[in-house]
Amino acid sequence: MGIFIKKQQSGFSASSTAEEVTEGIDGTGLTAIVTGASSGIGVETARVLALRGVHVVMAVRNTDAGANVKEVILKEIPNARIDVRELDLSSFTSVRKFAADYRSSGLPLNILINNAGIGVTPFKLSQDRIELQFATNHLGHFLLTNLLLETMKSTSRESNTEGRIVNVSSLSHHYGYREGIRFDKLNDEPTYNRHCAYAQSKLANILHANELSRCLKEEGVEITANSVHPGAILTNITRHDSFLRCVFTVVCLFISKTVEQGAATTCFVALNPQVKGVGGEYFSDCKIAKRSSQAKDADMARRLWDCSLSLTNPKK
């Protein structure tokens, strides 16, 4: 791999793997939801959390694919606790059903990893009539998080253990629309740019974590919320754009990470004790990283929060 190895303050680098950054950590007694756990870095995230003793709930759109991943993990880790549940983040109905079923199960929730995503798709509206990338990558996770937040709060109180929410974003948040979030043009097909729309959704992931962290701190709740950039990894996120996939394949020859390395920052922020009490930050290569000025815009974060509440109507 063409990764330039530079150890950071965490003791880890871009070449560190998810297993390495969680080595020696005992996650027994913890329960985590990982969205998009049937492909890409979601699979490795689920596997490593299970390896560390965490009860993993795989929230996936394709339950057959999820069942196959579960089977593979159980062959390696026979004692792993893994559930597979259906979740289509592009559908608010599906998100509400998943959350209601989860709450009814009585399971605790210590860790929520908002990992699933789609990338650079042609213009399309979701079932809820919202541009698909924004609906899936941001709004679905926003609604899911809000619907499960009380469960996380009660788990944290009863177990006296810090809860952690991790939004998987991307370095591409730097390269979106000039105005950042196009609040008045979310569904504007004539000016739609698939690459900018993806970047917009990834910016939204960061702003969501920022504002959620602020609210949790203000409330005095022992739950943190952070966002991460996993690195350049050739997964099926580029399947909707053959040109981008070709370019990305060439780029990845020089700067790519393996899936094992790509899941490292997510697992680090989700489990490593070095991150205890840290919230509202953006991580890359297992360290706090530089984000765009828009990704630090508190006013934009609050406006996005209000806009997202209006669009998802989580109390419905």
Side-chain angles (χ1 to χ4, degrees):
M1 288 297 134
I3 292 291
F4 294 98
I5 301 175
K6 180 180 180 182
K7 294 291 182 181
Q8 309 294 348
Q9 64 263 37
S10 64
F12 303 113
S13 71
S15 65
S16 297
T17 66
E19 283 198 29
E20 290 171 346
V21 304
T22 59
E23 187 174 359
I25 296 174
D26 183 6
T28 304
L30 301 179
T31 302
I33 292 174
V34 182
T35 69
S38 61
S39 65
I41 63 173
V43 173
E44 181 67 0
T45 299
R47 185 189 74 83
V48 171
L49 292 183
L51 181 66
R52 301 307 176 210
V54 178
H55 179 186
V56 178
V57 177
M58 299 170 57
V60 299
R61 184 173 55 84
N62 185 332
T63 53
D64 288 338
N68 290 336
V69 171
K70 175 181 176 178
E71 183 180 350
V72 170
I73 293 175
L74 287 173
K75 284 182 179 178
E76 178 192 350
I77 314 164
N79 296 326
R81 296 185 64 197
I82 303 176
D83 298 327
V84 178
R85 300 196 180 196
E86 184 176 2
L87 172 63
D88 180 355
L89 285 156
S90 70
S91 164
F92 296 161
T93 298
S94 177
V95 174
R96 289 191 180 97
K97 183 180 186 306
F98 176 92
D101 290 347
Y102 192 90
R103 293 193 302 264
S104 297
S105 74
L107 284 173
L109 183 57
N110 305 92
I111 302 166
L112 174 59
I113 299 179
N114 292 320
N115 165 80
I118 58 172
V120 294
T121 59
F123 182 84
K124 184 178 180 181
L125 296 180
S126 71
Q127 295 178 26
D128 302 286
R129 310 300 296 170
I130 300 167
E131 188 275 309
L132 191 60
Q133 293 191 79
F134 192 77
T136 305
N137 297 350
H138 168 60
L139 289 175
H141 282 128
F142 177 88
L143 178 60
L144 178 68
T145 302
N146 276 6
L147 292 174
L148 293 174
L149 201 53
E150 287 305 315
T151 301
M152 291 197 72
K153 289 177 182 179
S154 61
T155 299
S156 177
R157 286 193 301 266
E158 293 167 9
S159 64
N160 196 29
T161 303
E162 178 181 86
R164 296 189 182 183
I165 298 168
V166 184
N167 284 357
V168 178
S169 180
S170 169
L171 181 68
S172 69
H173 80 273
H174 285 272
Y175 309 112
Y177 295 115
R178 180 180 56 81
E179 59 267 55
I181 306 295
R182 306 175 86 201
F183 293 103
D184 301 320
K185 295 183 178 180
L186 289 176
N187 290 350
D188 190 48
E189 184 174 3
T191 58
Y192 177 79
N193 178 296
R194 66 173 72 185
H195 304 285
C196 290
Y198 176 72
Q200 173 181 243
S201 71
K202 295 292 101 180
L203 172 61
N205 292 150
I206 299 175
L207 294 173
H208 172 213
N210 293 353
E211 181 63 8
L212 178 58
S213 176
R214 186 192 68 78
C215 292
L216 292 169
K217 288 176 182 177
E218 191 175 83
E219 193 177 339
V221 177
E222 195 178 358
I223 299 173
T224 63
N226 292 288
S227 52
V228 303
H229 166 54
I233 309 139
L234 189 59
T235 65
N236 64 359
I237 194 75
T238 59
R239 65 188 179 276
H240 295 287
D241 190 320
S242 57
F243 174 74
L244 179 63
R245 188 166 184 84
C246 289
V247 172
F248 203 65
T249 300
V250 173
V251 170
C252 281
L253 293 174
F254 302 97
I255 63 170
S256 74
K257 291 185 177 184
T258 64
V259 170
E260 293 78 10
Q261 293 166 337
T265 302
T266 300
C267 290
F268 175 77
V269 176
L271 275 186
N272 199 288
Q274 292 187 46
V275 192
K276 182 175 175 57
V278 177
E281 297 292 351
Y282 169 70
F283 287 80
S284 178
D285 298 337
C286 300
K287 66 178 179 65
I288 294 173
K290 183 178 180 180
R291 55 188 130 173
S292 71
S293 58
Q294 290 176 331
K296 296 183 286 188
D297 189 327
D299 291 334
M300 188 180 294
R302 282 190 287 272
R303 186 179 179 189
L304 175 65
W305 185 278
D306 292 340
C307 174
S308 302
L309 279 177
S310 175
L311 290 171
T312 60
N313 189 17
K315 293 183 180 180
K316 182 177 179 180

